[in-house]
Amino acid sequence: MERPGRLLLLSELRVRNTAYDVSLSRSLLTWKRRISSPVYHPFRPRFCVPSFPRRPDSGVCHSVSVSEIISVREEEEENSSRQRDDGSWKKIKEREGKDCRQAFTVLYVERCRQHRWRCAEVTFTCPEEALYQRWVSSIREQLASITSRPKHLLVYINPYGGKRQGKHIYEQKVAPLFAQAGVSTHVIVTEYANYARDHLRTEAELKKFDGVVCVGGDGMFSEIIHGLIWRTQIDGSVDPNCPDQTLLPSSLHIGIIPAGSTDCICFATVGTNDPVTSALHIIVGDSQPMDVCSVHHNNTFLRYSVSLLGYGFYGDVLTDSERKRWMGPARYDLSGVKMFLTHHYYEGTVSYLPARGIVGTPRDAAKCRSGCVVCQHNGQLLSKRAENYTMDEDSESDGEWRTIRGKFLAINAASMSCACPRSPKGLSPAAHLADGTTDLILVRKCSRFDFLRHLLRHTSKDDQFDLTFVEVHRVRRFRFTPRYCQSDSDLELDLRENGKRQIFSQICRDHPACGCAPAYSSWNCDGEILTHTAIDVRVHCQLIKLFARGIEEPTVFEDLTNPCAI
Ligand SMILES: CCCCCCCCCCCCC/C=C/[C@@H](O)[C@H](CO)NC(=O)CCCCCCCCCCCCCCC
Ligand SMILES: Nc1ncnc2c1ncn2[C@@H]1O[C@H](COP(=O)(O)OP(=O)(O)OP(=O)(O)O)[C@@H](O)[C@H]1O
Ligand SMILES: [Ca+2]
């Protein structure tokens, strides 16, 4: 709980016809029920329906951080009634002979179960208009002094993501909150795939906005970052095709209103996939930096990734599921079962540059949470290193690259946990959102039974890496070359090592039933299929910023006192 600091206002106001001591400091709004106040009746409302019905009258002290106040609403004039969202009518006050405003409502963030946020409200009634005016203007002044809050947002809606509810979700749940908070918006409903990316790259007048909001899933978010990152590099004369180039961070924050099928970026940065919660994080101007991987092939830029780069199992699931888009989110489960039964493995070489000098390992019990110290520490360390950059920092000449050859069911690089409703702890539970690294997970060829054990552990407390055929490395860069793309000298080495004279006879040997196991899989890059299999990946620490704060640890206090959390 924040310390209140110097009080700006302290008054006796009424909430639901009960006297409260209400105080405002720069950081907190507090209302505390007076122990006994039968004499305090500057007026007696004939009726006053509480505008704050969800919280029982616990008689304790309520505090709201000023940074989590959404807005202040001046209540209507004498004798007026107003219909609430739930259809009931409320009367603010009714007092003979007076014609003045004396009630104001504070809208604020209330925490509910499972990281959800709701917009709660409390109405205060003042004994006189001058005091009322002071309260309304003081709270508004405090809100205006929070410079991190966005005032103008550019919103892109994918009407076809997830269950095709994007437009409806935005109009019903998000737009009314933005309006209440005084946030202006320019809304664009996309007309085709890559519409938002191309609009951001070339046309959007970014100077007019404080942030970009994406209504859709991970694929739509990917469009937004591609447009924004590309535009930022071109505006700053940085060549995005060069894999060794340090990229410029965009000044705009990105907000995600989840309306897709997996929504893992939203889930892993907020803790839940709930449009109202995300809208509130945007309104209060939260900020969460995030790592971005650039993916190149032969020194040509392919794509950026923030969540999963997956070859083998997740690449095949995605390829198969694209043909089933009409099914909506269920396509992934069906393709998942199919690809599990197909049980393809792929050969290739993975080289990686281990993350050195940084804090944290992929097997840590501690997770990346709101205000993560690991991300802060590693972020500072890597930006210092970038300042003193010498070419040997990331290059092959430092001799730290390690190489692994083998047959893999899956090669996954998780730049963050990839937590999502299917797997609430994610592909790499201890991965960090903004530490400048990605967790490279190698699942070697094993039996179906063992692979199922590994997959099942994504949904339980058991460690999915604690298996002999699974290894995980925290890396800054990695490369992958499928076996049949290997250079002649590598192939010769292979032949000598394995004594195999006929390379292609190997393809079907382990699949006598079908006789046609493919030699290549595809890379699943945040839900998009890459056009190349040989790739070079580099992590760019904290390249983008989201309107989010990471997953909050629930406090005991919140759990016990918040009726909405029970
Ligand atoms: C037995 C149950 C095991 C459940 C194991 C669940 C592990 C789930 C891990 C999910 C990781 C998601 C990573 C996020 C990737 C996003 O950038 C991307 C874009 O949205 N989403 C996908 O590629 C979408 C990927 C969706 C992958 C779904 C995989 C489903 C596997 C089902 C295996 C069933 C075996 C059944 C045996 C009888
Ligand atoms: N108007 C549009 N018509 C068709 N496709 C679009 C349109 N706008 C965006 N897209 C594309 O739709 C694809 C899927 O979108 P989105 O990510 O929103 O949903 P999803 O794939 O269901 O969810 P997730 O990515 O979370 O699994 C994206 O690749 C995006 O480029
Ligand atoms: Ca990371």
Side-chain angles (χ1 to χ4, degrees), residues 131-188:
L131 186 63
Y132 159 85
Q133 293 292 358
R134 276 185 69 200
W135 268 97
V136 172
S137 56
S138 295
I139 298 175
R140 286 196 175 142
E141 269 167 31
Q142 291 314 303
L143 296 185
S145 71
I146 308 174
T147 52
S148 54
R149 289 194 174 194
K151 292 180 187 65
H152 309 289
L153 292 171
L154 177 56
V155 181
Y156 293 99
I157 304 177
N158 175 3
Y160 300 112
K163 295 182 182 155
R164 302 179 173 226
Q165 293 296 303
K167 209 160 162 280
H168 179 79
I169 288 172
Y170 181 77
E171 283 163 3
Q172 300 299 310
K173 299 189 169 177
V174 179
L177 283 172
F178 284 169
Q180 268 175 334
V183 177
S184 79
T185 52
H186 178 68
V187 179
I188 295 175

Side-chain angles (χ1 to χ4, degrees), residues 217-219 261-265 307-308 313-314 317-318 332-333 335-337 340-341 418 420 422-423 426-427 452 455-456 458-459 524-528:
D218 297 326
S261 301
T262 314
D263 297 320
C264 86
I265 299 154
S307 54
L308 166 69
F313 182 68
Y314 290 103
V317 169
L318 184 68
Y332 288 132
D333 301 311
S335 297
V337 173
F340 168 77
L341 294 172
C418 293
C420 60
R422 266 189 194 82
S423 168
L427 284 180
L452 183 60
L455 286 177
L456 278 171
H458 289 80
T459 59
N524 172 342
C525 177
D526 291 2
E528 303 294 315

Side-chain angles (χ1 to χ4, degrees), residues 409-422:
L409 285 176
I411 298 170
N412 303 321
S415 298
M416 50 178 219
S417 69
C418 293
C420 60
R422 266 189 194 82

